[in-house]
């Protein structure tokens, strides 16, 4: 995007010039249906071209498809508006906007980003400046949909991880080598077999393991000529010099053009087996010895499925002695759920001599448990020696457990064991699709947030906080039916999915059950902890398209519940969404207001009750909104606090007040200006450095500024506040405690605060009178401040009677509408020369 033209006029390319940029349809070559536009629309990437003012010049069909923008979105020609429309489709628009803003201010910059859209797509974004004769005249934006590429990459990574896990966990010695014999990789069993550490073995050549120096060459020749070998007999030497009789089963590794890169194989130590069977190599005893030592079970079945032979290894794998199974029907040991598939494969294999089939099935162990077997069967019924179906089976129960555990962990919360956000959203999306069909049952989503959970973490520690979340999850499960779902979707956030429930009454019934379950304390860390939850409810609606929309609305309702007092429930209605959108727009507008200079300060005088002259001014923030006019802090300050904008706004306020103090100073003397500090600002670790920087940049004398902190803000973190206030005071800046008397009891800290002035809260001044209770309160505060050497300002003086009373009670300065309302700086200058008549 180009930046808006400012200052000197920008050169605009003329039609027909080299590299000329024209609006879509502006020239003959760019008209719809023109060769240029047809070629542009045929590209796989989305293209958008804007000029230096941000006006859209060219866009193609693919840009509209990828961005999701319709022709009406682009017809106005406003590139910035188009970007804002794109932003609404992003999962996380904040960082994108920040980078785009930076780009707009750096015209020469080339930009690259990867964007995640709410619809699940992943978009690659490029932006580069467009030049004519070396001058930047616009910008070209390119979008590329890389969703499928990203999915393929993720699938490849998952596959590689699975391969690595199986490679490392194999009970066989596995290796991968280059053609020259140097090792690429070995597994743990290989290291255990030869007694080497991983790095030691990887530094060796395969030939170093051969007892016969020529053995590796013979092995290589066999591999080169045959491509693979099975049970290749060889003598290898381990790290301690012992000779191992081994069988190698290996195959070649080739490049895409067929070139042999190296070998990969399995090494089986058959030293003991070879010694025990050497004399019986040609006999049946040798065959049976192989079966007894096999890792797999070998079963021979008759045509009707009766077991005619079972290898001795079955006792190790399944606990049965071979004779216990011979003569029994195989199907009686298969899990009922797997039986149909087993029967179907057996019947299909039986009718085809020599046919093989593989499957995975659950087989009953002798102890009654079910073991998962990976079986391969071959039809040798026609073989006059075998006359049966030979089945080789391997117990893969542990591997399946690992896979199932990984699958479970991927969709369940590691702390509570509940379904996680991914599983919850998957189930919710299924119900959203179902609800769009007429006549199907509805659903309800409850979004729950634990009230004041941070207090538990901060006071009792994160381990206790984790225990609390686990216990809350268990209680929530007791509040639901078996068909419903409760999930942990965030730190202290839970969500519930009620299938077949779609009325406010039903949802409120469940909510009341939840609130009731929270009435009992949670016994944690040898103490009782109470917890409540705020609940937002969203009922199914055919207008919902995506699960995210339902959860978003339940979340909005939850915040309404929390703002209404916590430990309650609210049902979502469309006005809540409108308010949420309005708040988002307000946040955006407030960010822009700071950038565009829409924030202003008004000033209310603080008048001396000794001579009637103004001592100083309190600076009060205002927002000169371009459409709504002058806005007071009540309408936007809470938003600034919640979003963190209060920090840059507070810094701007401080700097603007300091600049104004310099302007009003007269021969180095002038009225002070009081600036309010929020709790967020007070907690900033660099607050003192910020104030020092403001004084240095503006040249304002430290005494010209007074920082106001409310009593409540100071007492929230009293000890830290004392240290910060002392450091601020050391700069020469005076401090004031605002709204004194309305917050926490701060009398025990008051003498420790580096404070110059107390401002009596206006609520005391409002009811002040000759015989009023507040008169004694004001007189006490004045006496206390005098004893501590502090000044006192009476706030909220709105009548002449109040003006007279605060002076009678000993206040030396006052502030309020009776004296003057807050006014812009230009009008406040006249106040500097005014003298009030004292009562």
């Amino acid at each position: 995007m180009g930046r808006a033209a400012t200052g000197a006029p920008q050169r605009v390319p003329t039609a027909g010039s080299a590299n000329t940029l024209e609006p879509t349809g502006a020239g003959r070559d760019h008209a719809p249906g023109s060769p240029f536009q047809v070629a542009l629309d045929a590209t796989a990437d989305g293209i958008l071209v804007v000029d230096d003012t941000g006006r859209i010049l060219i866009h193609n069909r693919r840009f509209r498809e990828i961005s999701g923008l319709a022709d009406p979105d682009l017809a106005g020609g406003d590139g910035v508006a188009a970007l804002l429309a794109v932003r609404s489709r992003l999962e996380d628009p904040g960082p994108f906007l920040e980078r785009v803003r930076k780009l707009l201010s750096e015209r020469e910059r080339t930009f690259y980003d990867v964007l995640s859209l709410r619809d699940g797509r992943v978009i690659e974004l490029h932006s580069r400046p467009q030049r004519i004769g070396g001058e930047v005249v616009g910008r070209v934006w390119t979008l590329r949909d890389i969703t499928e590429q990203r999915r393929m990459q993720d699938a490849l990574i998952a596959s590689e991880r699975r391969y690595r896990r199986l490679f490392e966990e194999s009970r066989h010695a596995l290796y991968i080598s280059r053609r020259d014999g140097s090792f690429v990789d070995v597994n743990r069993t290989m290291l255990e077999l030869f007694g080497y550490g991983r790095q030691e073995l990887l530094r060796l050549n395969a030939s170093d393991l051969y007892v016969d120096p020529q053995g590796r060459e013979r092995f290589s020749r066999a591999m080169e000529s045959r491509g693979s070998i099975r049970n290749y007999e060889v003598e290898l030497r381990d790290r301690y010099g012992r000779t191992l009789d081994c069988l190698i089963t290996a195959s070649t590794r080739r490049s895409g053009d067929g070139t042999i890169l190296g070998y990969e194989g399995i090494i089986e130590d058959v030293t003991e087996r070879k010694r025990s069977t050497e004399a019986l190599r040609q006999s049946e005893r040798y065959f049976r010895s192989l079966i007894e030592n096999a890792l797999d079970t070998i079963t021979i079945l008759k045509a009707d499925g009766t077991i005619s032979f079972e290898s001795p290894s079955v006792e190790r794998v399944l606990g049965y002695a071979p004779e216990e199974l011979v003569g029994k029907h195989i199907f009686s040991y298969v899990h009922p759920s797997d039986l149909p598939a087993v029967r179907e494969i057996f019947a299909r294999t039986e009718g085809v001599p020599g046919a093989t089939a593989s499957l995975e099935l659950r087989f009953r162990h002798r102890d009654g448990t079910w073991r998962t077997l990976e079986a391969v069967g071959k039809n040798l019924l026609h073989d006059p020696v075998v006359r049966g179906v030979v089945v080789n089976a391997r117990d893969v129960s542990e591997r399946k457990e690992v896979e199932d555990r990984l699958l479970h962990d991927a969709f369940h919360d590691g702390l509570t064991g509940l379904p996680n956000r991914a599983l919850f959203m998957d189930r919710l999306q299924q119900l959203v699709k179902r609800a769009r069909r007429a006549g199907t049952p509805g659903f309800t989503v409850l979004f729950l947030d634990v009230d004041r959970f941070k207090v538990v973490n901060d006071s009792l520690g994160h381990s206790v906080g984790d225990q609390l979340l686990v216990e809350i999850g268990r209680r929530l499960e007791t509040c639901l039916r078996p068909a419903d779902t409760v999930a942990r979707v965030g730190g202290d956030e839970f969500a519930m999915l009620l299938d077949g429930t779609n009325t406010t009454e039903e949802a409120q019934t469940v909510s009341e059950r939840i609130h009731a379950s929270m009435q009992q304390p949670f016994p944690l860390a040898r103490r009782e902890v109470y917890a409540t939850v705020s609940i937002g409810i969203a009922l199914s609606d055919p207008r919902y398209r995506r699960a995210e929309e339902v959860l978003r609305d339940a979340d909005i309702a939850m915040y309404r519940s929390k703002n209404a007092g916590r430990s309650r429930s609210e049902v979502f209605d469309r006005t809540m969404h409108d308010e949420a959108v309005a708040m988002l727009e307000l946040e955006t507008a407030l960010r822009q207001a700071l950038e565009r200079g829409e924030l202003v300060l008004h000033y209310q005088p603080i008048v001396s009750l000794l001579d009637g002259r103004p001592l100083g001014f309190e600076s009060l923030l205002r927002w000169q909104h371009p459409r709504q006019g002058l806005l007071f802090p009540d309408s936007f300050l809470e938003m600034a606090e919640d979003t963190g904008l209060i920090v840059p706004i507070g810094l701007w306020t401080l700097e603007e007040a300091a600049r104004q103090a310099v302007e009003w100073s007269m021969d180095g003397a002038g009225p002070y200006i009081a600036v309010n500090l929020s709790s967020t600002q007070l907690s900033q670790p660099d607050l003192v450095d910020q104030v020092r920087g403001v004084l240095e940049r503006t040249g304002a004398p430290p005494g010209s500024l007074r920082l106001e902190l409310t009593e409540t803000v100071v007492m929230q973190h009293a000890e830290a506040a004392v240290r910060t206030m002392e450091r601020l005071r050391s700069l020469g800046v005076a401090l004031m405690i605002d709204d004194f008397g309305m917050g926490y009891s701060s009398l025990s800290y008051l003498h420790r605060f580096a404070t110059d002035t107390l401002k009596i809260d206006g609520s005391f001044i409002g009811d002040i009178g000759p015989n009023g209770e507040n008169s004694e309160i004001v007189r006490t505060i004045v006496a206390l401040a005098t004893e501590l050497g502090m000044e006192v300002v009476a706030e909220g003086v709105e009548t002449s009677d109040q003006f007279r009373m605060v002076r009678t009670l000993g206040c030396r300065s006052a502030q309020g509408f009776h004296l003057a309302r807050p006014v812009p700086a230009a009008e406040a200058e006249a106040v500097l020369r005014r003298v009030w008549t004292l009562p």
Side-chain angles (χ1 to χ4, degrees):
M1 284 302 155
R3 55 185 174 83
T6 59
Q10 302 293 313
R11 185 171 68 84
V12 179
T14 57
S17 63
N19 297 319
T20 298
L21 301 176
E22 299 177 348
T24 303
R28 177 175 53 83
D29 291 339
H30 299 173
S34 68
F36 175 82
Q37 190 64 45
V38 169
L40 196 63
D41 286 341
T43 61
D45 293 341
I47 297 175
L48 174 72
V49 182
V50 298
D51 66 13
D52 195 36
T53 67
R55 184 169 58 101
I56 297 175
L57 302 176
I58 302 169
H59 69 276
N60 67 349
R61 173 179 53 79
R62 189 60 178 149
F63 179 82
R64 297 192 299 274
E65 292 174 352
I66 295 177
S67 66
L69 301 180
D71 281 332
D73 298 318
L74 301 168
D78 187 345
V80 174
L83 269 188
L84 291 176
V86 170
R87 176 206 61 174
S88 66
R89 293 164 170 78
L90 300 181
E91 283 286 354
D92 188 5
F96 170 72
L97 287 180
E98 290 299 324
R99 289 192 285 272
V100 169
R101 290 192 184 99
K102 185 173 182 181
L103 182 65
L104 294 180
S105 65
E106 300 178 11
R107 303 173 59 206
E108 300 288 342
R109 183 183 176 90
T110 297
F111 179 72
Y112 171 82
D113 204 353
V114 177
L115 309 177
S116 296
L117 274 59
R118 292 182 179 177
D119 60 9
R121 290 183 296 147
V122 181
I123 303 301
E124 191 175 68
L125 172 66
H126 291 269
S127 179
R128 59 178 177 80
Q130 179 72 25
R131 294 180 173 85
I132 295 180
E135 180 182 351
V136 176
V137 298
R139 183 164 287 276
V140 179
W141 296 79
T142 305
L143 300 182
R144 177 172 296 173
D145 190 334
I146 61 170
T147 306
E148 193 59 34
Q149 175 185 343
R150 181 61 63 86
R151 288 174 181 164
M152 291 176 65
Q153 290 174 347
D154 292 345
L156 178 60
I157 292 172
S159 175
E160 290 175 347
R161 287 176 178 168
R162 187 169 181 268
Y163 163 77
R164 168 51 64 182
R165 185 175 68 252
L166 295 177
F167 181 82
E168 282 297 331
E169 293 177 357
S170 174
R171 291 170 294 177
H172 300 290
L174 305 178
Y175 74 92
I176 301 172
S177 71
R178 300 182 181 86
R179 198 172 187 179
D180 63 0
S182 58
F183 288 110
V184 175
D185 202 358
V186 295
N187 71 347
R188 183 175 61 253
T189 306
M190 178 85 169
L191 298 174
E192 293 171 352
L193 176 60
F194 290 97
Y196 287 100
R198 179 175 296 275
Q199 295 306 317
E200 286 183 292
L201 190 53
L202 291 178
R203 284 195 293 268
L204 296 179
N205 191 283
S207 60
D208 297 329
L209 302 179
Y210 280 76
V211 174
D212 182 355
Q214 304 301 317
R216 174 60 169 67
E217 295 182 10
R218 289 194 295 273
F219 168 80
S220 297
R221 286 196 296 271
M223 290 295 297
E224 299 283 332
S225 62
R226 294 155 58 184
S228 65
I229 57 175
R230 184 175 180 82
N231 294 334
Y232 183 87
E233 295 186 25
V234 65
E235 290 184 334
L236 302 177
R237 183 182 293 109
D238 68 9
R239 185 171 186 249
Y240 309 103
R242 292 175 299 195
T243 298
L244 305 177
D245 292 307
C246 298
L247 296 178
I248 300 179
T249 297
S251 59
T252 56
R253 297 168 53 242
R254 298 178 182 270
S255 63
D257 61 2
T259 302
I260 296 177
L261 301 176
Y263 316 117
E264 55 189 12
I266 303 173
I267 300 177
E268 183 179 0
D269 179 10
V270 294
T271 305
E272 295 302 321
R273 184 197 311 171
K274 185 174 181 180
R275 290 173 182 172
S276 64
T277 62
E278 187 66 27
L280 307 173
R281 183 178 299 275
Q282 303 301 325
S283 67
E284 184 182 1
R285 291 175 60 192
Y286 171 66
F287 171 74
R288 289 198 174 274
S289 178
L290 290 176
I291 294 177
E292 289 171 2
N293 289 281
L295 296 174
D296 303 340
T297 64
I298 300 176
T299 306
I300 300 178
L301 304 174
K302 295 180 180 180
D304 63 354
T306 302
I307 300 173
S308 61
F309 171 82
E310 187 62 75
S311 67
S313 57
V314 73
E315 188 166 7
R316 182 175 65 253
V317 176
L318 295 171
Y320 300 101
E323 56 269 20
E324 291 184 81
L325 296 177
V326 173
K328 303 293 179 61
H329 207 280
I330 188 71
F331 298 141
S332 62
Y333 294 90
V334 177
H335 193 284
S337 299
D338 299 335
L339 191 56
V342 173
R343 286 184 179 277
E344 190 274 329
I345 291 177
F346 187 83
R348 188 174 70 243
T349 306
E350 178 193 11
V352 183
T356 62
S358 61
L359 76 159
E360 198 174 85
L361 70 153
R362 284 165 289 180
F363 200 94
R364 188 171 65 247
H365 193 277
R366 196 174 191 278
D367 63 10
T369 61
W370 295 98
R371 298 298 176 89
T372 303
L373 302 181
E374 196 174 68
V376 178
K378 185 171 185 176
N379 181 2
L380 296 179
L381 288 167
H382 63 290
D383 189 307
V385 177
V386 180
R387 296 188 181 279
V389 177
V390 180
V391 179
N392 289 69
R394 173 173 298 175
D395 185 358
V396 294
S397 302
E398 292 182 3
R399 189 191 76 194
K400 287 292 295 181
E401 288 176 3
V402 170
E403 292 175 350
D404 292 343
R405 186 165 60 251
L406 290 174
L407 183 63
H408 178 276
D409 292 346
F411 291 100
H412 288 79
D413 175 49
L415 176 64
T416 64
L418 297 174
N420 61 13
R421 187 184 189 92
L423 181 55
F424 183 86
M425 298 302 283
D426 180 72
R427 293 179 180 176
L428 177 56
Q429 185 62 43
Q430 295 176 27
L431 295 189
V432 169
K433 292 179 179 179
R434 187 189 70 184
R436 290 173 55 78
R437 300 192 295 269
T440 57
F443 62 87
T444 300
V445 170
L446 280 68
F447 194 95
L448 303 87
D449 184 88
V450 182
D451 297 326
R452 298 184 178 90
F453 179 71
K454 187 176 183 298
V455 175
V456 176
N457 270 346
D458 291 346
S459 58
L460 302 181
H462 287 272
S463 61
V464 175
D466 288 346
Q467 293 176 40
L468 177 60
L469 293 175
V470 171
E471 294 303 322
I472 289 176
R474 290 174 179 169
R475 285 199 190 175
L476 294 179
E477 286 181 303
T478 66
C479 298
L480 298 180
R481 304 166 300 178
D484 298 330
T485 300
V486 56
R488 183 185 178 208
V489 295
D492 60 342
E493 296 173 338
F494 296 83
M496 290 182 166
L497 182 57
L498 313 180
D499 190 4
T501 301
N502 192 36
T503 67
T504 300
E505 292 74 15
E506 291 172 316
Q508 290 288 11
T509 298
V510 175
S511 297
E512 291 169 5
R513 193 182 308 149
I514 293 170
H515 289 307
S517 74
M518 296 293 161
Q519 295 299 315
Q520 297 300 317
F522 295 88
L524 302 173
R526 297 190 296 276
R527 68 178 69 217
E528 291 186 340
V529 176
Y530 287 86
T532 61
V533 293
S534 297
I535 304 176
I537 301 170
L539 305 176
S540 63
D541 190 313
R543 289 177 292 183
Y544 285 127
R545 295 292 188 273
R546 298 187 301 122
E548 290 80 1
E549 298 171 356
V550 188
L551 197 64
R552 174 203 65 198
D553 291 348
D555 190 14
I556 292 173
M558 183 276 293
Y559 274 103
R560 173 68 66 86
S561 171
K562 193 170 286 287
N563 292 335
R566 299 185 177 89
S567 188
R568 52 180 290 129
S569 307
E570 290 285 346
V571 179
F572 174 80
D573 60 51
R574 292 294 162 184
T575 60
M576 292 183 184
H577 181 260
D578 295 340
E579 291 174 1
V581 172
M583 291 299 289
L584 179 61
E585 292 175 349
L586 177 63
E587 178 186 349
T588 301
L590 185 56
R591 291 183 184 276
Q592 295 172 345
L594 186 59
E595 298 169 0
R596 296 172 179 173
E598 295 173 2
L599 299 180
V600 295
L601 292 183
H602 284 197
Y603 299 89
Q604 186 176 32
I606 299 172
V607 178
S608 169
L609 298 183
L610 298 178
D611 58 12
R613 299 182 184 277
L615 297 173
F617 291 85
E618 180 178 359
S619 60
L620 300 166
L621 184 64
R622 302 289 186 264
W623 179 4
Q624 190 63 54
H625 196 283
R627 294 188 306 277
Q628 301 179 34
L630 191 66
L631 300 182
F632 287 78
D634 291 349
S635 62
F636 62 85
L637 213 55
E638 184 177 353
M639 166 67 73
E641 286 277 6
D642 291 342
T643 60
L645 280 173
I646 192 66
V647 174
I649 289 175
L651 182 58
W652 174 87
T653 302
L654 188 63
E655 191 144 358
E656 178 66 13
R659 186 195 60 77
Q660 188 62 62
V662 172
E663 185 175 327
W664 283 343
S665 65
M666 297 169 288
D667 298 326
Y672 64 79
I673 297 181
V675 180
N676 291 281
L677 291 184
S678 69
S679 60
T680 303
Q681 288 176 275
L682 185 60
S683 64
Q684 294 298 305
D686 61 344
L687 173 62
V688 177
D689 293 334
Q690 289 184 16
V691 175
R692 182 186 293 109
V694 166
L695 296 175
E696 291 174 353
R697 288 192 297 273
T698 62
S704 65
L705 287 182
R706 295 199 179 186
L707 303 182
E708 288 195 23
L709 304 102
T710 65
E711 181 184 7
T712 302
V713 166
V714 172
M715 291 306 299
Q716 282 178 348
H717 304 284
E719 290 294 339
V722 167
R723 293 190 295 270
T724 301
M725 294 169 73
E726 289 174 348
R727 294 178 62 202
L728 289 171
R729 186 74 176 277
S730 68
L731 296 178
V733 176
L735 301 176
M736 308 174 77
I737 298 295
D738 196 11
D739 299 337
F740 186 78
M742 295 302 294
Y744 298 96
S745 176
S746 59
L747 293 178
S748 61
Y749 275 90
L750 190 57
H751 72 282
R752 296 179 56 193
F753 291 151
T755 306
D756 301 274
T757 305
L758 295 182
K759 297 185 76 173
I760 302 175
D761 188 81
S763 61
F764 294 117
I765 306 302
D767 294 331
I768 201 171
N771 301 314
E773 180 181 278
N774 286 346
S775 298
E776 291 304 319
I777 294 176
V778 172
R779 181 180 286 108
T780 301
I781 294 175
V782 171
L784 176 63
T786 302
E787 183 67 24
L788 295 175
M790 299 179 184
E791 299 177 13
V792 176
V793 177
E795 287 188 292
V797 176
E798 298 185 355
T799 67
S800 58
D801 288 341
Q802 293 169 2
F803 188 33
R804 183 176 60 257
M805 283 300 300
V806 296
R807 187 166 185 255
T808 301
L809 293 172
C811 294
R812 296 190 176 185
S813 54
Q815 173 185 355
F817 285 179
H818 176 69
L819 301 170
R821 292 179 176 271
V823 294
E827 298 179 33
E829 290 183 6
V831 177
L832 290 172
R833 297 181 295 274
R834 181 177 174 182
V835 177
W836 276 263
T837 301
L838 300 177

